[in-house]
Amino acid sequence: MNNFTFTPTNSSKEATRLRRETPTATYVAGATTLLDMMKVNLAEHPQLIDINALPLTGIEQTKDGLRIGALERMSNVGEHPLVVQQYPAVSESLLLAASAQLRNMASIGGNILQRTRCGYFRDADFPCNKRVPGSGCPAQHGDNHGLAVLGTSEACIAQTYPGDLSVALMALDAVLTLENAKGKQRRVPLTSFYVLPGQTPHQENILEPGELIVAVSIPAAVHAQRSTYLKVRERTSYAYALASAAVGLDVQGGTIRAARVALGGVGTIPWRSPEAEKILTGAPATEATFRAAAAAALRGAQPREHNGYKVQLAQNTLVRALQKVATT
Ligand SMILES: Cc1cc2nc3c(=O)[nH]c(=O)nc-3n(C[C@H](O)[C@H](O)[C@H](O)COP(=O)(O)OP(=O)(O)OC[C@H]3O[C@@H](n4cnc5c(N)ncnc54)[C@H](O)[C@@H]3O)c2cc1C
Ligand code: SF4
């Protein structure tokens, strides 16, 4: 682990100024993932800019939906009555993530920016295109049992984002508010935030250097209120998803009026499925419809030697999630 200075800040202007002056510095919130990476020399920063005192908190109902400050802790958001009642998929994705201790420390912004759990990426003895561009990808023919089957490339098959929350947020059309070093804010739909690996897997999202995540907004909708997050993992204590599904349905008189579908654990980025949504919208809320939607969602899958099981697993997870919301 390299030596670093730790600088508290209390305004986003000061935080972004510090970051501009030292481009190799980085922000730290809950530190639950950044320090792990620094300890094994996967991230080296001479300065950590502590953003915990910035006024980026609050869980508020707005005229369009819900606004969550980027420094809210995962546990606060997951347990908040507005989130539990109006955005159950978001609440469930948070409460099924990590452990209680981690959820109490970890922030929403940090969660959105956590990095891949690919074992080769996390072991500096191996080459890895994401860590060292152009060095190779041993996962293509190595241990790929936990890696992606959708959105992969010959350069990388890892899940850029391995977590839960962004899958639910993506299904429910969440929008990020970002603030750059000049204090200018912009709003970016989460569906445009993460970048497919292609030939440049080290470029994981559209964040500009030094840009802060300020808040997450989620529009109110019937399908958001009638949503769920289902996570399949190797054990019931903390573990990342082998496959997960976030779904929201608006069902009236047995017919699906609106549908939202995103998958986790199977794509190189949280995987929104317009193909599944198209099959669901206007169709009867039956198992046959759900199975057709699940088949469509995984149609482009390209499994490797050890992760073929994910295709069936993700389809079954999606069908179960749809059945759950259709009958509630
Ligand atoms: C053992 C273990 C199990 C876990 N299991 C799961 C799981 O099952 N599901 C899951 O979803 N997650 C899981 N996690 C990941 C955990 O949720 C993340 O570590 C946590 O959410 C990161 O938040 P943080 O505030 O601690 O981020 P930090 O570690 O403080 O920061 C992470 C990164 O985000 C940047 N950053 C933080 N906030 C901002 C901001 N507002 N704007 C711009 N940049 C920012 C930092 O510079 C850093 O690069 C697990 C972690 C561990 C250690
Ligand atoms: S899958 Fe991606 S992260 Fe894993 S070794 Fe290959 S390039 Fe690196």
Side-chain angles (χ1 to χ4, degrees):
M1 188 174 194
N2 63 302
N3 291 330
F4 60 88
T5 57
F6 185 81
T7 314
T9 52
N10 52 26
S11 76
S12 41
K13 199 171 163 196
E14 189 192 359
T16 52
R17 179 184 60 76
L18 285 167
R19 182 74 171 71
R20 199 169 59 240
E21 285 170 2
T22 311
T24 48
T26 198
Y27 304 126
V28 63
T32 61
T33 190
L34 181 64
L35 281 212
D36 273 0
M37 293 187 58
M38 289 177 71
K39 278 183 206 158
V40 292
N41 297 324
L42 287 177
E44 292 183 16
H45 301 284
Q47 184 179 18
L48 296 190
I49 303 165
D50 176 15
I51 60 172
N52 284 294
L54 306 194
L56 307 181
T57 49
I59 304 168
E60 300 151 2
Q61 191 136 36
T62 63
K63 66 175 172 27
D64 305 321
L66 192 75
R67 187 179 194 277
I68 302 168
L71 282 170
E72 280 296 336
R73 267 41 205 181
M74 290 170 72
S75 48
N76 287 353
V77 179
E79 288 160 9
H80 195 283
L82 275 176
V83 184
V84 173
Q85 285 154 24
Q86 294 177 28
Y87 307 89
V90 174
S91 165
E92 291 163 17
S93 73
L94 284 163
L95 298 181
L96 288 170
S99 63
Q101 294 89 335
L102 285 159
R103 293 195 295 271
N104 287 340
M105 283 299 293
S107 69
I108 296 300
N111 186 286
I112 290 168
L113 290 176
Q114 65 179 293
R115 303 199 63 197
T116 181
R117 292 277 152 178
C118 172
Y120 299 109
F121 171 84
R122 294 206 168 238
D123 185 340
D125 287 342
F126 285 96
C128 166
N129 287 330
K130 194 182 268 302
R131 189 164 23 79
V132 182
S135 62
C137 175
Q140 301 280 353
H141 303 290
D143 178 3
N144 47 39
H145 84 278
L147 300 182
V149 294
L150 290 164
T152 59
S153 73
E154 289 308 309
C156 182
I157 57 173
Q159 290 138 34
T160 288
Y161 173 84
D164 301 292
L165 172 66
S166 284
V167 182
L169 290 177
M170 201 174 265
L172 300 186
D173 305 301
V175 175
L176 301 180
T177 302
L178 308 176
E179 183 170 324
N180 73 12
K182 292 179 182 151
K184 199 168 165 216
Q185 293 196 349
R186 62 175 173 146
R187 284 167 60 83
V188 175
L190 195 63
T191 46
S192 309
F193 182 72
Y194 297 107
V195 178
L196 286 171
Q199 290 309 304
T200 53
H202 58 288
Q203 287 170 7
E204 299 185 333
N205 57 55
I206 54 93
L207 214 56
E208 290 170 6
E211 208 168 19
L212 271 170
I213 300 179
V214 170
V216 182
S217 306
I218 320 173
V222 174
H223 59 255
Q225 216 165 350
R226 198 168 179 171
S227 67
T228 195
Y229 181 76
L230 193 60
K231 174 175 180 177
V232 180
R233 49 187 165 169
E234 276 169 344
R235 54 179 189 206
T236 46
S237 76
Y238 66 86
Y240 282 92
L242 296 173
S244 68
V247 303
L249 290 184
D250 177 358
V251 184
Q252 291 171 31
T255 300
I256 301 166
R257 300 289 171 202
R260 296 289 184 279
V261 173
L263 299 171
V266 288
T268 48
I269 59 176
W271 200 259
R272 179 83 180 253
S273 178
E275 298 84 357
E277 291 170 5
K278 195 170 166 200
I279 286 179
L280 292 165
T281 308
T286 60
E287 180 165 348
T289 303
F290 301 156
R291 293 231 162 260
L298 272 296
R299 195 151 288 140
Q302 287 188 302
R304 264 65 179 184
E305 189 181 350
H306 307 292
N307 63 0
Y309 72 95
K310 286 202 175 205
V311 176
Q312 189 71 54
L313 186 66
Q315 287 177 345
N316 290 346
T317 306
L318 178 52
V319 170
R320 274 178 52 205
L322 288 165
Q323 283 171 329
K324 184 177 165 199
V325 282
T327 53
T328 49

